Amino acid sequence: MTISDLPDRVERGDNGTLGRKHFTGRDPSHWVLAGLTLWFALLFVLRVLHALPLEKDEAEQLVNAQWWLAGYSGQPPLYTWLQIGVFALVGEGVIGLSLLKHLLLWSGHAAFYFAARELLPDRRLAPLALLGLLLIPQIGWEMHRDLTHSVLVFTLASASLWVAARWYATGATHFYLLAGLAVGLGLLSKYNYAIFALALLLAFLSTPNGRRRLFDRRILLTLGIALAIVSPHLLWMLEYREDAASSLADVGMMQTNAALAGLGDLGRAVLSFLSPLWLALLVLSPRGLTRSLSHGLLPGSGFPLGRFMLTALGLLVLMVVFADAAEFKDRWMIPLLFVLPIQFFAFLDAGTPRRLRAFAALTLLVPVAVTLTLLVREGTLNLPGIRPPPRPAFAELARLATANGFDGGLIMTQGTWLAGNLLAAFPGSRALGADANYGSTPCAPLDETLLVWNAVAGAVVPGRLARITGDVLGNVPSGFDPSYLLLLDGERQDMEVALLRLPHGPAVDSPICRHALLPATDVGMERLD
């Protein structure tokens, strides 16, 4: 998209907003989609060229994708299922990790664009709404730096929004089917999608047209498809209640802080998530922003997008008041507030093309800034006065393991970040991280074991890793002399790790690996606590 592709003239509709036939100039849609495609392709190449170290979420997926499970470490399984499928096509490693993420990013932005075209009074405003996403840091930056499940929930929330818009407008049977598919997959992407779905349901109930859609007997098709898709994970949650509860605790549902503190943190998370987007929209059109925040129904279609946003925030407030939620992370707002650009441009008042072009220019600076930041971060680009941040020395850790005689086998570490990076360095191995709950895990014959942990406790295998080691190996090794290496952790803080190679693999009769002598294709499934 070029700035010259923006409208030559902006006229006022009867209601003071931009009407479907009041936006003149060339349609820049194809330039925006083509530009995003090229940018995502560039970021994919850059990520592949700098394979190690893996980021935290990448490492977790490399570890989790060793097994087909109905739930992983308190998270829904869909991302890992997709990751396993991509690995089957292109092989395990950073290529598969990056390919899946960037395909999902492109799909999410494309779905958002088509939803905007469906909902906005003038479809030619959709490219500006799409570009507005770049001013949301969790989407324009964090999704490229790391994140996995949040990328997937953004993609499915965007797809669900398009389905909901078409369903609301037409009531066609195939949109009842697609709604069930979208909801089922969305609930398997990330748990905060449930708030998205509930808020959209309540928003539909607030309008006569929405009630007609919901109280149609075809809604049973929607419910049946969604339930069929999500039922394996629901059964997993019933079987592994502690793992599921750990995810609820992570979102603050088991905190006991005062409601005032929870409301304050919610307000901070909302403001942080929407900055600097809200400021750019305010400069573009103060009246447009005010109108968009005070109207629940979109002009023309009557779709209750504003009511959806208000209801989503109301549900979060109820979580604070009745569930003692006290902590909110910015990224949890992704499926709830990402629709603000559509809401704003639906109520954009008449203005000058200069401001629209300035807004587009501002958003187009984001891909440039993100790309340059990633190049500097990886050490590819050297800018005067800017030093790249230090990187964890996983290559050196792998060399230390090799020097200790380890060339592949079972890798057990204190966390999935360590486990995933070592698994990438020793393809064909198996890896377990003690900070994750895997449910049931298959076993395979392995000749040797590598233990790696944070050496803050010295030469003592810590807590949960010691328990898992005892389960897998039949005993916890003692009286050993591990090797040590100073390594940066995932937060770029100094961390000394201890490394120990054991010349034997899992015990045949261990609670996990009693089937270790069977071929990998015939392995059993046992509980890993």
Side-chain angles (χ1 to χ4, degrees):
M1 175 180 180
T2 61
I3 303 302
S4 61
D5 288 323
L6 288 171
D8 299 318
R9 183 165 52 92
V10 181
E11 298 180 0
R12 187 186 301 274
D14 294 337
N15 61 355
T17 64
L18 294 179
R20 186 174 293 277
K21 295 183 179 179
H22 291 84
F23 187 82
T24 64
R26 289 176 292 170
D27 184 356
S29 305
H30 57 290
W31 289 110
V32 174
L33 292 176
L36 283 176
T37 301
L38 292 176
W39 184 44
F40 292 151
L42 173 62
L43 294 181
F44 165 73
V45 171
L46 292 178
R47 184 66 193 94
V48 170
L49 291 177
H50 300 88
L52 290 178
L54 301 179
E55 299 291 346
K56 283 186 172 182
D57 284 5
E58 292 175 325
E60 179 187 57
Q61 286 306 311
L62 191 60
V63 173
N64 287 348
Q66 297 172 104
W67 306 284
W68 284 98
L69 302 175
Y72 299 85
S73 307
Q75 289 284 1
L78 182 56
Y79 196 101
T80 302
W81 290 353
L82 295 173
Q83 191 66 78
I84 293 173
V86 172
F87 282 164
L89 294 175
V90 302
E92 297 179 3
V94 71
I95 292 178
L97 290 167
S98 186
L99 179 62
L100 175 60
K101 172 186 278 192
H102 287 95
L103 285 175
L104 289 174
L105 280 170
W106 185 89
S107 300
H109 284 77
F112 181 89
Y113 166 74
F114 286 111
R117 282 177 62 90
E118 186 65 31
L119 293 171
L120 288 172
D122 192 302
R123 291 183 172 183
R124 286 170 292 181
L125 287 169
L128 290 173
L130 178 59
L131 290 175
L133 290 178
L134 299 177
L135 297 180
I136 299 176
Q138 289 295 326
I139 298 175
W141 163 246
E142 290 294 340
M143 286 187 181
H144 303 292
R145 186 192 65 82
D146 199 5
L147 300 186
T148 51
H149 295 93
S150 294
V151 174
L152 182 57
V153 78
F154 162 69
T155 299
L156 287 170
S158 296
S160 300
L161 183 63
W162 177 80
V163 170
R166 295 293 297 146
W167 180 29
Y168 189 87
T170 68
T173 299
H174 62 277
F175 285 112
Y176 280 88
L177 302 177
L178 287 176
L181 178 65
V183 170
L185 294 178
L187 292 173
L188 291 183
S189 65
K190 194 174 175 70
Y191 291 129
N192 56 351
Y193 181 91
I195 303 176
F196 167 89
L198 180 56
L200 196 57
L201 171 66
L202 294 175
F204 266 48
L205 286 172
S206 71
T207 69
N209 191 45
R211 289 191 293 272
R212 281 194 295 270
R213 300 291 180 250
L214 293 173
F215 296 141
D216 190 297
R217 62 183 179 181
R218 290 174 293 175
I219 197 67
L220 296 176
L221 296 173
T222 304
L223 297 175
I225 292 173
L227 183 60
I229 292 173
V230 79
S231 58
H233 185 61
L234 292 178
L235 294 175
W236 176 88
M237 293 179 70
L238 290 175
E239 184 176 0
Y240 302 115
R241 295 182 184 87
E242 291 183 3
D243 294 350
S246 69
S247 179
L248 298 180
D250 184 56
V251 300
M253 293 186 69
M254 296 183 183
Q255 304 296 324
T256 57
N257 299 47
L260 186 61
L263 292 173
D265 197 65
L266 173 59
R268 177 210 55 79
V270 169
L271 184 62
S272 178
F273 176 79
L274 293 176
S275 298
L277 173 64
W278 72 271
L279 184 58
L281 298 180
L282 180 64
V283 172
L284 174 59
S285 175
R287 185 169 180 266
L289 183 59
T290 301
R291 288 173 59 84
S292 68
L293 296 179
S294 60
H295 284 72
L297 304 180
L298 295 182
S301 67
F303 189 86
L305 192 63
R307 293 181 184 179
F308 159 76
M309 296 176 62
L310 182 62
T311 302
L313 291 175
L315 291 174
L316 294 178
V317 171
L318 291 178
M319 288 174 57
V320 173
V321 175
F322 294 104
D324 295 323
E327 265 182 61
F328 294 89
K329 295 181 180 178
D330 298 1
R331 63 178 179 268
W332 296 343
M333 305 298 140
I334 290 173
L336 310 179
L337 301 178
F338 76 108
V339 299
L340 179 61
I342 297 177
Q343 180 74 9
F344 171 81
F345 282 104
F347 290 93
L348 180 63
D349 59 343
T352 62
R354 182 179 301 174
R355 288 190 179 184
L356 291 174
R357 292 171 180 169
F359 176 82
L362 175 64
T363 61
L364 292 175
L365 288 176
V366 175
V368 176
V370 169
T371 304
L372 291 176
T373 301
L374 291 174
L375 288 172
V376 171
R377 190 168 176 258
E378 301 294 342
T380 303
L381 179 64
N382 295 317
L383 296 178
I386 300 179
R387 297 181 59 186
R391 306 285 285 169
F394 277 106
E396 187 175 346
L397 182 62
R399 286 193 293 269
L400 180 61
T402 301
N404 278 266
F406 183 80
D407 58 1
L410 176 63
I411 300 169
M412 293 193 294
T413 72
Q414 199 169 349
T416 52
W417 182 63
L418 286 170
N421 276 280
L422 286 170
L423 185 58
F426 294 98
S429 297
R430 289 280 187 173
L432 298 175
D435 62 346
N437 300 307
Y438 299 104
S440 300
T441 56
C443 304
L446 300 166
D447 295 329
E448 54 187 76
T449 302
L450 183 71
L451 296 180
V452 182
W453 67 92
N454 189 332
V456 65
V460 177
V461 181
R464 182 173 168 82
L465 179 60
R467 182 156 62 91
I468 293 177
T469 301
D471 288 343
V472 175
L473 302 182
N475 62 79
V476 179
S478 59
F480 50 80
D481 185 19
S483 299
Y484 295 94
L485 177 69
L486 188 63
L487 184 76
L488 293 177
D489 65 13
E491 304 298 330
R492 304 297 193 267
Q493 302 295 320
D494 288 341
M495 175 181 70
E496 187 176 32
V497 297
L499 180 148
L500 177 67
R501 172 190 173 268
L502 302 174
H504 59 279
V508 177
D509 59 348
S510 74
I512 303 171
C513 296
R514 63 186 59 166
H515 303 286
L517 297 182
L518 295 177
T521 55
D522 298 323
V523 293
M525 304 289 288
E526 296 296 331
R527 169 70 172 153
L528 172 61
D529 291 314

